[in-house]
Amino acid sequence: MSFKDKVVIVTGASSGIGAAVAVGFSSEGARVVMVGRNENKLASVAARCNEPLVVKADVGNDEDAKRIIDRTIDHFGQIDVLVNNAGIGAWGNLVSGKLVESYDTVMRVNLRAVVNLTSLATPHLIKTKGNVINISSIVGLLPSSVKSGLSMYAVSKAAINHFGACAAAELAEYGVRVNTVSPGPVVTDILETSKSPITWDDFKKMTALDRVSQPEEIADLVMFLASDKAKAITGSNHVSDNGLFVKRY
């Protein structure tokens, strides 16, 4: 797959799936815009890319979101692909009394930022007949007990799934495709940042294939969906979960 001269925005590009996506697109000739909050981690990933535009920003901040789009247009003049990857987890449940706090924290980044950035990028994507890839999660398809403490993360991902389908329906007439990728367990730093008591070994046992994925596996799927090889695919949710869904049911 070649993305020569295509401009690709990747949020949450400082680590994990986002970093792998940024490096993958860059290796295929894309001009990559890397967005993240950790300057040191962004610099480390940028060193593996070919002259990326690095934007330190909080996607959940409206001014920062507008700045991401404005800087991309000022620097590259177009947007061909938007990868909404940035996401966070926050622990809270009904018993602890922190569920609403968890909701507000998670939804600001995991859902509102996706809606906002997609809206801001849409006029530019229409010009290039580009596409959007939203990174969701298998938990968006699975009921998650509020007691588990991750229910608001699951709710945010379920909302992303539906938003992607709605956006695809609206933008199809303009030649803009919108798709969703729902990974299962992928080795990133999300468990550490969300202070999860669950380990990757725990997740491995949950899957039918008895494994967890590496970020590059998800990057390969994202790049396929963004390429002309997937020109007939829009409004779809693509699961890559090592069989976690089928094992559970």
Side-chain angles (χ1 to χ4, degrees):
M1 290 176 287
S2 174
F3 290 94
K4 182 175 172 54
D5 297 328
K6 300 292 186 181
V7 176
V8 182
I9 299 176
V10 184
T11 68
S14 61
S15 64
I17 293 172
V21 169
V23 172
F25 272 111
S26 182
S27 71
E28 295 293 337
R31 295 176 288 175
V32 176
V33 182
M34 296 174 49
V35 180
R37 294 181 298 176
N38 189 307
E39 208 163 9
N40 291 333
K41 288 184 177 180
L42 279 172
S44 177
V45 178
R48 298 159 56 197
C49 297
N50 182 27
E51 298 183 352
L53 171 62
V54 178
V55 182
K56 181 183 177 183
D58 176 359
V59 295
N61 179 287
D62 285 359
E63 291 183 2
D64 279 10
K66 185 176 184 302
R67 181 165 55 86
I68 292 165
I69 302 301
D70 289 345
R71 285 202 60 191
T72 299
I73 297 303
D74 289 343
H75 193 79
F76 290 128
Q78 66 192 64
I79 300 172
D80 296 276
V81 182
L82 170 63
V83 182
N84 286 309
N85 167 73
I88 60 172
W91 289 83
N93 54 43
L94 292 168
V95 174
S96 71
K98 295 183 178 180
L99 189 62
V100 173
E101 179 183 339
S102 170
Y103 173 92
D104 289 339
T105 300
V106 169
M107 290 296 183
R108 181 180 71 89
V109 174
N110 291 13
L111 180 61
R112 190 180 187 281
V114 171
V115 174
N116 191 26
L117 275 173
T118 303
S119 178
L120 292 169
T122 288
H124 307 287
L125 291 168
I126 289 175
K127 291 178 183 177
T128 60
K129 295 190 183 302
N131 63 86
V132 179
I133 312 291
N134 295 323
I135 306 301
S136 183
S137 169
I138 190 61
V139 301
L141 300 173
L142 294 169
S144 178
S145 167
V146 174
K147 187 176 181 180
S148 73
L150 269 179
S151 62
M152 291 303 99
Y153 179 81
V155 168
S156 74
K157 295 303 185 180
I160 285 176
N161 296 347
H162 203 65
F163 170 69
C166 292
E170 178 181 351
L171 297 179
E173 67 178 283
Y174 302 101
V176 176
R177 298 184 296 111
V178 183
N179 288 294
T180 302
V181 172
S182 289
V186 180
V187 179
T188 68
D189 61 2
I190 191 169
L191 295 187
E192 179 183 349
T193 56
S194 64
K195 299 179 181 179
S196 170
I198 302 173
T199 68
W200 293 117
D201 283 340
D202 293 330
F203 275 116
K204 181 179 176 182
K205 297 171 186 175
M206 297 177 189
T207 69
L209 296 179
D210 194 34
R211 68 184 298 273
V212 296
S213 293
Q214 294 299 318
E216 289 75 16
E217 298 171 43
I218 308 304
D220 287 343
L221 179 54
V222 169
M223 288 191 292
F224 167 73
L225 290 171
S227 76
D228 288 340
K229 291 184 177 183
K231 60 187 176 184
I233 302 175
T234 194
S236 298
N237 185 0
H238 297 261
V239 173
S240 180
D241 70 343
N242 291 296
L244 185 151
F245 186 91
V246 295
K247 182 171 182 178
R248 178 159 178 174
Y249 285 100

